[in-house]
Amino acid sequence: MYKLNNMRYLLLCLTFLLTTATPVSASESEGIDVKEIVLGHLSDAYEWHITTIGGKHISIPLPVIVRSEATGKWQVFCSSRMEEAAEEGHDYNGFYFNEEKNGKIYERLADGTSVRPWDLSITKSVLQIWIVVIIMLVIFLGCARWYKKHDPTKDVPKGFVGMVEMLVMSINDDLIKDSIGEKHYRAYAPYLLTAFFFILITNMLGLLPIFPGGANVTGNINITFFLALCTMLAVNIFGNKEYWKEIFWPDVPMFLKAYPAAIMPIIEVFGIITKPFALMVRLFANMMAGHAIILSFTAIIFIGWSLNAFLGSGLTLLSFVMMLFMNCLEFLVAFIQAYVFTMLSAVFIGLAHPEHEGH
């Protein structure tokens, strides 16, 4: 599989920009699968690809943890063993990467059929999440250590601790507290702050072209689905009776909420699902689109040089400028998407705690 990471893309752009290169031949351009480059970066993997030098892929192999359907036993091995077995033209203990199923691990049984085994492997996205968790622990435990050593009523935090406090207070006071309300916001602030910093740091790391960045975690719909599910549970499990009353017996004319029409309760119940669905799709689509656009601008370089040197030089300059612009824009989007997800989650939670007002 032909793979290139973002750093190599930028280096190629800079090299083409500063040097006069010969045009890429048609045979060389055909060896570059643009679709595979884009989709390969956006999808998850069982290894962390670093770069390619002289046609040799340099990657960090990750542990594979699968349960064999044939023996019923769990097996743990390195993903590089499966790669080596695939190069030699055979499976590794019956397991192989099924390219028709986005490179997922499948097991070939004795009768020739292939099945998808239980897979708890440490993939690239999982490792990226662990790295984000470690970074968050280092940041917040370091800030907590400063507050233990100082009196916050007398000493004002400066530097990195002061920046973190400013960001936390801004999200907590201006967003969470205002959206949920003075009475209930403290119970949900830990979750919402954790979600904000997790999405923010994950998005920032995704912009780095080399390890430990480059993974498209928030562009994975499974991750955004889990985050949206957590918000959905927080809204519906802890919603008060006024919230459920507004869903099943809202203050509307009787014919809109009672049999046989019951239009408003149906719409409100449908809204229970559509709200977290909007959270999931919004974050997933925005982050995936940014990565896809940057990679698409990179692919334009190869397409241009496959035609002629003049067109290749012009498209190289254009693509390089546009990629720099898109990376700067993605840096802003990384913060905006974390802010919007936290804001909408806080708004939905606040709507689950309406206060009955007597007239």
Side-chain angles (χ1 to χ4, degrees), residues 45-316:
Y46 293 92
E47 63 179 7
W48 198 305
H49 183 70
I50 304 299
T51 187
T52 301
I53 300 178
K56 183 178 180 181
H57 302 309
I58 300 178
S59 306
I60 300 176
L62 301 175
V64 174
I65 307 172
V66 290
R67 181 182 182 275
S68 173
E69 295 293 333
T71 63
K73 297 181 179 179
W74 288 92
Q75 298 189 32
V76 181
F77 51 87
C78 192
S79 61
S80 59
R81 295 188 178 182
M82 292 185 63
E83 293 282 356
E84 295 171 358
E87 293 176 358
E88 297 173 0
H90 60 85
D91 302 334
Y92 181 80
N93 293 346
F95 298 102
Y96 70 99
F97 293 119
N98 192 336
E99 299 299 335
E100 297 179 355
K101 302 293 184 179
N102 298 322
K104 299 297 183 181
I105 294 178
Y106 273 71
E107 182 180 9
R108 207 184 310 272
L109 302 180
D111 58 1
T113 60
S114 296
V115 295
R116 181 86 162 94
W118 283 91
D119 189 355
L120 301 179
S121 303
I122 308 302
T123 62
K124 182 179 180 180
S125 295
V126 174
L127 181 58
Q128 181 76 92
I129 292 173
W130 288 2
I131 293 173
V132 172
V133 171
I134 293 174
I135 292 175
M136 292 177 65
L137 288 175
V138 171
I139 291 175
F140 293 112
L141 290 180
C143 293
R145 189 176 299 109
W146 185 93
Y147 283 101
K148 287 182 178 179
K149 296 180 179 179
H150 299 80
D151 185 359
T153 60
K154 298 179 181 179
D155 299 331
V156 178
K158 299 179 181 179
F160 183 76
V161 178
M163 182 188 69
V164 173
E165 179 184 304
M166 178 191 68
L167 190 57
V168 169
M169 297 301 293
S170 176
I171 299 299
N172 183 74
D173 295 345
D174 300 335
L175 194 155
I176 299 175
K177 185 177 179 180
D178 290 347
S179 299
I180 300 178
E182 179 74 29
K183 185 177 180 181
H184 302 285
Y185 85 95
R186 289 184 178 86
Y188 299 97
Y191 160 68
L192 293 173
L193 286 170
T194 301
F196 171 80
F197 280 100
F198 173 80
I199 296 173
L200 177 62
I201 296 175
T202 301
N203 291 346
M204 293 296 186
L205 283 180
L207 297 177
L208 295 179
I210 57 175
F211 182 85
N216 186 36
V217 175
T218 46
N220 187 327
I221 199 167
N222 297 310
I223 306 301
T224 59
F225 168 78
F226 177 78
L227 292 172
L229 179 63
C230 291
T231 298
M232 180 180 177
L233 294 177
V235 170
N236 295 284
I237 291 178
F238 303 105
N240 60 19
K241 62 180 182 180
E242 292 293 331
Y243 166 71
W244 291 107
K245 178 182 177 296
E246 291 181 1
I247 291 178
F248 293 106
W249 200 255
D251 293 330
V252 296
M254 185 64 67
F255 71 92
L256 292 177
K257 62 182 178 182
Y259 181 83
I263 297 176
M264 291 305 299
I266 294 175
I267 294 175
E268 292 294 336
V269 170
F270 187 71
I272 295 176
I273 302 174
T274 56
K275 289 176 182 177
F277 180 79
L279 282 177
M280 174 186 70
V281 174
R282 181 188 298 272
L283 179 59
F284 158 73
N286 279 280
M287 300 313 301
M288 183 190 69
H291 286 260
I293 291 173
I294 293 174
L295 293 170
S296 298
F297 278 123
T298 304
I300 292 177
I301 298 173
F302 300 107
I303 296 174
W305 279 97
S306 66
L307 299 176
N308 56 68
F310 177 77
L311 185 59
S313 301
L315 290 178
T316 295

Side-chain angles (χ1 to χ4, degrees), residues 38 60-61 63 77 88 150-151 157 204 212 265 299 306 318 326 328 333 337 341 353:
V38 176
I60 300 176
F77 51 87
E88 297 173 0
H150 299 80
D151 185 359
M204 293 296 186
S306 66
L318 175 64
M326 284 302 303
C328 294
V333 171
Q337 290 304 315
F341 184 93
H353 295 276

